[in-house]
Amino acid sequence: MMSSSKLQYEHLDQQDHSIRLLRLVPGRWLDNIYCELQTVSLDDNPAYHALSYVWGNPQDTGLITVDGSPFQATKNLITALRRLRSSIDVKVFWVDAVCINQLDTNEKTSQLGLMARIYKSAADVQVFLGESGVLDLIPHEQQALWDDPPRTHWVRDATMLIHTEHPPHKDGKTLVGLSREVPMWAILDPSNGLNAADQHRVDQFFARQQDPMHGRDEELPPLERLRHNQSGAFALMKMLSNGRCLKVCCQGPLDSPAWQGALNVIAHVVSLPWWSRAWVLQEAILPQRDVLAIYGEIVVPMGLIEDSGAVLPRHYARGDCCKRFWNSLPQVQKATLEKFANTMGQLEGIRQTLNMLKMKQIEMLKYLIEKTRFKEATDPRDKIYGLLGLLSNCDEPIDLIPDYHLSANDLYTKVAMQMISYTRSLSILHHHEFRSSPLCTELPSWVPCWGPTYGSLTPFQIGERTANFLACPPGPGRIPHLAIDTPCPNALVVQGRFISKVSAVTTPASKETTSLFIDLLTFLQTFFDIDPFSLHPITQEPEEDALARTLLSDQVFEVRYEFKAGQVVFSRAYAGDIQMFRLARQILMAQKMGQTLVLTLPNGTVMDDEAKAHVVMHAEENFWCANEGRVFFRTEEGHFGSGPRETNVGDEVWVVLGSLVPLVLRRATEGEDGRRLVGYAYVHGIMDGEAAPGVNGEGKREVYLV
């Protein structure tokens, strides 16, 4: 933790919304950092900038001077302040680590309650993403000569992307006004043209790609090479943010040092810790004015970075403009661009949802927690507190403010119970996955710890996957509530119906360790003992169809592009989806045996290899979307199912009042009715209320989730 050492903080008046501002005293690049604190009231509209950054290693600190007293600051903060400091003018910032007395819990609680207003009121927000590696290549003696460090500024052009319903033309050109096929978006450049300095850097990036000798010898100094690569990375972002096609950005061979170097820089940018921290979400979204990102000596509008990644899937996931080019990329280049697209798409998707959808506060909080479960926080309470500032424009305020006197265990339990009580739904129980952190082992099993999911590298969310089912329709029964005066403290009392015990379980499915998809499908057909001529014991449909629906969790997805970042939409699988999944298995089996499978389409034409590959890709994507990190199981009654990776033989399958999908429960030692939640399940044949308690409650009993 930051240490105030001998620094004495004056008391802040909570009534007039007082905050402290940090006045950054002018100094040359390598001079020691001197700051002064100034107390102001937000009600007086003070002028200041806000800093967004990652604290970094709390043990890796150095000294700065605040109000004449030594102050231990993390090295990351010191570097950020150096990047922000001017050699001439005083700069005024709000910096949480210094402006809040971190040793005063009461002050910390009250000040964090003002975070939304602090970032909204700032003249701008400066995001320090981190250093770029340039400083490592510049001798200390040379840096000592600087008054201010070198800075390269990029501009976000006021281009507009106008959405159309048609896929891009095969040439990827804008065909506005023509009667033939038009692109998925039309690009409107600003009337005064694009920024000339940026356009020059883009042209240089293209020229370096086209130069067969550039970067292929050792004569280019490492510093110049790195700066070229960084300029290339932001030139690529510039082009994408202006709506240009991905393939247009590649003006040379895919192994061009200039192209590969630019992608390496993008990989480094997106791997920086700033993107993974919980607090930075509101710091990037709340500001009413500019948000500028600092990456080493590069200063760039955050919107340029965000837009460039968010629109990427439009180029390679829909239409013909870049799909062929995308398929030609080496896997490592695809992985870099996909990670970039996912990271920026998640941020852009949240921003658009906040701007376009009106929700009640508890609904928005649940949505935000679901979308940010990949975020990290040193203090687990900040996984929730870091989102509260985004709820200010939502209706029906909830009883929740930052309170660091409240333990993480009590906070998570309180939030979970509020969500259940307000929605009268147990949908948050579906988020019980990957409970590996120390916090998760302390929480009751029914309280989600909102950590990463097994499929967290995909954009697919648990809530969206489970919303299409109705395993236990609404009916008579008590609303879930906390147990009182029982041996089970913090137990959630629910009502449900026992279905069957798990009799056999596979190991968790893993795309990374699966060499051939067809081998996995063959194994699962054997595991479920599928007979092509037999009927499923529960649904009386062909067992092969029951298996296909189980392997897909009976749903498929598509990506819609009404939003810039795209929106994943799930729907129940229909007969054609099942037929296509089984067809994919036949294609893969024929390929494995070295045979040519001739398939005739309804119009009489023969399916070509590209169409077959699309069928297989569609089947694989939907399979892994539903099953990454999960297991398949059979029950004693003959059900086919999939569930959380911790599922064991002997666990019980239940349908529970308030849950759209079945739950896997495990007997607990706390009494006959005590159960621990293992997770949600897909169980074929009972997903639409077939096994739910009757209208008079037949088969229903009370269970304590501990």
Side-chain angles (χ1 to χ4, degrees):
M1 176 179 289
M2 299 284 182
S3 172
S4 60
S5 186
K6 298 179 181 180
L7 177 62
Q8 298 298 313
Y9 283 98
E10 294 182 0
H11 176 72
L12 290 177
D13 189 344
Q14 299 181 24
Q15 299 301 317
D16 69 355
H17 307 117
S18 291
I19 64 171
R20 299 185 190 93
L21 295 178
L22 184 147
R23 292 169 53 83
L24 190 53
V25 176
R28 302 180 73 244
W29 168 245
L30 290 183
D31 287 351
N32 292 332
I33 293 176
Y34 294 90
C35 312
E36 300 167 351
L37 291 178
Q38 175 187 7
T39 300
V40 299
S41 170
L42 284 172
D43 297 338
D44 295 332
N45 300 317
Y48 63 94
H49 311 273
L51 173 62
S52 175
Y53 70 107
V54 173
W55 281 24
N57 183 354
Q59 307 303 321
D60 187 13
T61 63
L63 281 177
I64 64 175
T65 301
V66 181
D67 283 347
S69 298
F71 186 98
Q72 288 286 345
T74 62
K75 291 292 182 62
N76 201 52
L77 174 56
I78 293 174
T79 305
L81 293 177
R82 277 212 167 90
R83 285 291 182 189
L84 295 169
R85 181 172 57 181
S86 165
S87 63
I88 301 173
D89 302 316
V90 172
K91 296 289 189 71
V92 181
F93 288 90
W94 186 83
V95 182
D96 58 355
V98 187
C99 295
I100 299 176
N101 183 355
Q102 301 294 330
L103 302 180
D104 185 338
T105 301
N106 290 329
E107 179 177 298
K108 184 178 177 182
T109 295
S110 65
Q111 287 287 287
L112 293 184
L114 296 173
M115 283 279 285
R117 188 173 173 186
I118 290 171
Y119 277 91
K120 284 183 178 179
S121 302
D124 61 36
V125 174
Q126 308 272 334
V127 173
F128 181 66
L129 294 176
E131 281 300 326
S132 63
V134 165
L135 289 180
D136 297 334
L137 300 176
I138 302 176
H140 189 272
E141 296 77 11
Q142 183 177 340
Q143 296 184 39
L145 301 177
W146 295 345
D147 289 329
D148 294 296
R151 294 187 178 100
T152 300
H153 293 264
W154 289 79
V155 176
R156 186 184 186 188
D157 295 317
T159 53
M160 294 180 62
L161 304 183
I162 299 179
H163 178 78
T164 76
E165 293 301 324
H166 301 281
H169 184 264
K170 63 181 180 179
D171 293 330
K173 298 178 180 178
T174 303
L175 305 175
V176 180
L178 300 183
S179 59
R180 52 198 175 113
E181 191 178 30
V182 297
M184 195 173 64
W185 58 81
I187 306 166
L188 299 183
D189 291 335
S191 57
N192 59 348
L194 303 180
N195 178 267
D198 288 358
Q199 186 61 56
H200 178 65
R201 297 186 191 113
V202 170
D203 293 341
Q204 287 182 319
F205 174 50
F206 288 167
R208 288 194 295 271
Q209 292 184 64
Q210 296 165 357
D211 181 357
M213 297 306 297
H214 176 79
R216 297 187 184 276
D217 54 50
E218 300 302 322
E219 295 182 3
L220 196 63
L223 177 60
E224 185 178 355
R225 187 192 305 272
L226 181 56
R227 281 179 168 157
H228 280 177
N229 290 341
Q230 291 176 2
S231 180
F234 286 91
L236 195 156
M237 294 183 205
K238 174 85 172 188
M239 291 284 287
L240 291 172
S241 69
N242 281 342
R244 272 56 180 184
C245 283
L246 175 65
K247 69 176 183 180
V248 173
C249 300
C250 185
Q251 296 285 310
L254 295 177
D255 64 350
S256 158
W259 173 255
Q260 292 187 100
L263 292 183
N264 289 340
V265 170
I266 289 178
H268 182 253
V269 169
V270 81
S271 69
L272 293 169
W274 188 88
W275 303 103
S276 65
R277 305 305 292 177
W279 273 110
V280 302
L281 184 65
Q282 68 172 6
E283 295 169 4
I285 291 178
L286 284 175
Q288 304 295 302
R289 302 177 181 87
D290 294 337
V291 179
L292 294 175
I294 300 169
Y295 174 65
E297 59 190 24
I298 293 174
V299 182
V300 58
M302 179 62 76
L304 188 153
I305 302 176
E306 190 178 317
D307 285 352
S308 64
V311 302
L312 257 176
R314 290 173 176 262
H315 295 281
Y316 62 73
R318 177 180 171 180
D320 297 325
C321 71
C322 295
K323 186 170 290 186
R324 193 179 301 276
F325 170 74
W326 175 261
N327 291 334
S328 71
L329 290 177
Q331 187 56 42
V332 65
Q333 295 186 14
K334 284 184 183 178
T336 293
L337 292 170
E338 283 178 334
K339 183 177 180 180
F340 182 53
N342 289 339
T343 302
M344 301 308 146
Q346 288 160 348
L347 181 60
E348 179 66 20
I350 291 172
R351 185 191 301 278
Q352 291 178 332
T353 298
L354 288 167
N355 291 337
M356 300 177 67
L357 299 182
K358 195 70 173 177
M359 295 186 189
K360 297 178 175 63
Q361 279 202 357
I362 194 70
E363 296 171 336
M364 182 61 77
L365 179 60
K366 181 174 180 291
Y367 165 82
L368 291 172
I369 296 177
E370 290 174 2
K371 293 294 185 182
T372 59
R373 52 193 308 157
F374 58 90
K375 297 284 188 180
E376 301 171 357
T378 303
D379 186 330
R381 293 170 293 189
D382 290 339
K383 291 273 290 186
I384 294 174
Y385 291 157
L387 300 173
L388 297 183
L390 298 172
L391 308 181
S392 57
N393 293 329
C394 299
D395 298 329
E396 298 188 20
I398 56 178
D399 177 25
L400 190 63
I401 60 173
D403 181 1
Y404 287 91
H405 295 97
L406 196 66
S407 70
N409 192 317
D410 290 341
L411 172 63
Y412 279 57
T413 302
K414 176 182 179 179
V415 170
M417 199 63 235
Q418 281 189 343
M419 290 180 177
I420 291 172
S421 300
Y422 181 86
T423 62
R424 297 195 173 192
S425 164
L426 295 178
S427 61
I428 67 164
L429 270 61
H430 308 157
H431 295 269
H432 173 101
E433 289 199 4
F434 206 67
R435 301 174 72 90
S436 60
S437 71
L439 169 65
C440 294
T441 60
E442 299 171 0
L443 289 171
S445 68
W446 60 273
V447 177
C449 56
W450 305 110
T453 67
Y454 301 130
S456 60
L457 295 182
T458 73
F460 313 114
Q461 302 296 317
I462 293 172
E464 293 157 342
R465 293 204 297 259
T466 57
N468 288 319
F469 302 108
L470 197 58
C472 194
R478 299 176 66 190
I479 297 174
H481 58 280
L482 288 179
I484 302 175
D485 299 328
T486 72
C488 308
N490 282 336
L492 184 69
V493 185
V494 299
Q495 294 177 309
R497 183 175 187 176
F498 169 73
I499 302 301
S500 186
K501 285 187 177 182
V502 173
S503 59
V505 184
T506 68
T507 57
S510 171
K511 186 176 183 179
E512 183 177 341
T513 59
T514 298
S515 55
L516 291 176
F517 186 51
I518 184 60
D519 291 343
L520 177 58
L521 296 182
T522 302
F523 163 76
L524 291 172
Q525 186 164 16
T526 302
F527 172 79
F528 286 111
D529 195 21
I530 298 299
D531 183 342
F533 305 103
S534 296
L535 300 179
H536 185 266
I538 309 298
T539 63
Q540 296 302 298
E541 65 184 310
E543 280 196 336
E544 284 197 340
D545 285 356
L547 174 64
R549 290 191 181 275
T550 301
L551 300 188
L552 291 173
S553 287
D554 200 19
Q555 56 190 328
V556 294
F557 73 87
E558 63 175 322
V559 183
R560 297 177 182 170
Y561 287 95
E562 287 82 0
F563 287 164
K564 185 188 300 180
Q567 182 182 23
V568 178
V569 179
F570 290 87
S571 59
R572 295 291 291 270
Y574 69 102
D577 296 316
I578 300 306
Q579 182 178 357
M580 292 290 280
F581 188 84
R582 294 178 60 180
L583 179 61
R585 183 180 181 278
Q586 295 176 33
I587 294 172
L588 289 171
M589 182 60 73
Q591 291 175 351
K592 182 178 180 180
M593 299 177 66
Q595 300 174 348
T596 301
L597 186 64
V598 179
L599 299 169
T600 305
L601 298 173
N603 62 6
T605 61
V606 176
M607 182 181 291
D608 59 23
D609 290 342
E610 187 173 352
K612 291 178 185 178
H614 178 76
V615 170
V616 171
M617 180 187 70
H618 182 73
E620 287 198 52
E621 286 181 341
N622 279 282
F623 174 88
W624 290 115
C625 168
N627 301 302
E628 175 68 42
R630 292 170 64 79
V631 302
F632 294 94
F633 62 80
R634 301 193 307 268
T635 74
E636 293 178 348
E637 304 298 324
H639 298 91
F640 297 173
S642 62
R645 67 187 304 149
E646 292 87 357
T647 303
N648 292 331
V649 172
D651 287 342
E652 301 172 348
V653 176
W654 287 70
V655 290
V656 176
L657 190 65
S659 174
L660 298 174
V661 292
L663 301 177
V664 177
L665 305 181
R666 182 172 300 156
R667 283 184 174 271
T669 57
E670 293 88 344
E672 176 65 23
D673 294 323
R675 298 289 189 279
R676 296 191 184 279
L677 175 65
V678 181
Y680 76 93
Y682 173 87
V683 183
H684 189 66
I686 67 169
M687 300 302 293
D688 296 296
E690 299 91 337
V695 293
N696 297 318
E698 302 94 31
K700 181 172 60 181
R701 56 182 280 199
E702 205 164 63
V703 175
Y704 292 79
L705 299 183
V706 298

